[in-house]
């Protein structure tokens, strides 16, 4: 277990190097390390560093990404209205498709669907907020 931990720490240090050249990797070995083994390990690690860097960056956990939206309008009978009035309350049912980043290197992101319902009031508040976000993004983009 100690060897695994040491190798993991060593590889993490190698991933932070500005260069993936064999000579850069060799600088991380302690003085007095067996020269032939150092040369062999440096060449091996240097050859794998680009793919390990890519895999480590792909595995960075971040925020979910928007992938799509579906919506429908529902009319519900108002529970406190008299049956003779035939009153109904409209609401929007929104289905957001999201892609959640995976926390594991090499595994795929998971698709997730979030379903929620909005009545006209909260929908208006949400649309106003999204409008402000849109305006700010446009002003930054120029």
């Amino acid at each position: 277990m100690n060897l695994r931990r040491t190798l993991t720490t060593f590889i993490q240090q190698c991933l932070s190097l500005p260069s993936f050249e064999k000579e850069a990797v060799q600088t991380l070995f302690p003085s007095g390390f067996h020269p032939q083994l150092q040369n062999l390990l440096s060449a091996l690690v240097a050859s794998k560093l680009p793919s390990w860097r890519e895999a480590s960056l792909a595995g960075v956990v971040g925020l979910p990404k928007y992938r799509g939206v579906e919506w429908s309008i529902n009319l519900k009978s108002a529970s406190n209205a008299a049956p003779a009035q035939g009153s109904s309350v409209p609401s929007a049912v929104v289905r957001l498709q999201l892609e959640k980043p995976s926390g594991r290197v090499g595994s795929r992101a998971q698709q997730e669907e979030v379903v929620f319902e909005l009545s006209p009031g909260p929908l208006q508040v949400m649309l106003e907020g999204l409008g402000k976000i849109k305006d700010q993004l446009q002003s930054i983009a120029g």
Side-chain angles (χ1 to χ4, degrees):
M1 194 61 160
N2 192 23
L3 176 62
R4 180 178 175 215
R5 192 174 322 124
T6 302
L7 284 173
T8 301
T9 302
F10 179 73
I11 291 169
Q12 288 171 341
Q13 290 175 345
C14 289
L15 286 170
S16 66
L17 290 172
S19 167
F20 291 158
E21 300 298 321
K22 179 177 138 181
E23 292 75 22
V25 174
Q26 286 178 336
T27 64
L28 297 176
F29 284 95
S31 61
F33 197 87
H34 190 281
Q36 290 175 326
L37 185 57
Q38 177 181 350
N39 195 33
L40 178 66
L41 288 173
S42 296
L44 175 67
V45 169
S47 71
K48 297 292 184 184
L49 279 176
S51 62
W52 290 343
R53 163 85 50 97
E54 186 178 319
S56 71
L57 292 176
V60 173
V61 177
L63 295 173
K65 293 182 179 163
Y66 169 80
R67 291 296 175 225
V69 64
E70 295 176 10
W71 56 273
S72 62
I73 302 296
N74 288 347
L75 294 175
K76 290 184 179 180
S77 296
S79 59
N80 58 356
Q85 291 178 331
S87 178
S88 59
V89 178
S91 66
V93 176
V94 180
R95 288 178 170 75
L96 284 176
Q97 286 85 34
L98 304 173
E99 184 177 280
K100 286 177 60 175
S102 173
R104 302 180 72 190
V105 173
S107 62
R108 289 192 143 170
Q110 298 174 340
Q111 300 297 318
E112 181 180 2
E113 183 175 77
V114 177
V115 181
F116 56 96
E117 184 176 29
L118 290 167
S119 61
L123 177 60
Q124 184 61 37
V125 171
M126 181 178 163
L127 291 174
E128 288 171 4
L130 289 172
K132 290 177 184 177
I133 292 170
K134 176 185 164 192
D135 293 344
Q136 284 186 356
L137 288 173
Q138 286 177 336
S139 71
I140 292 170

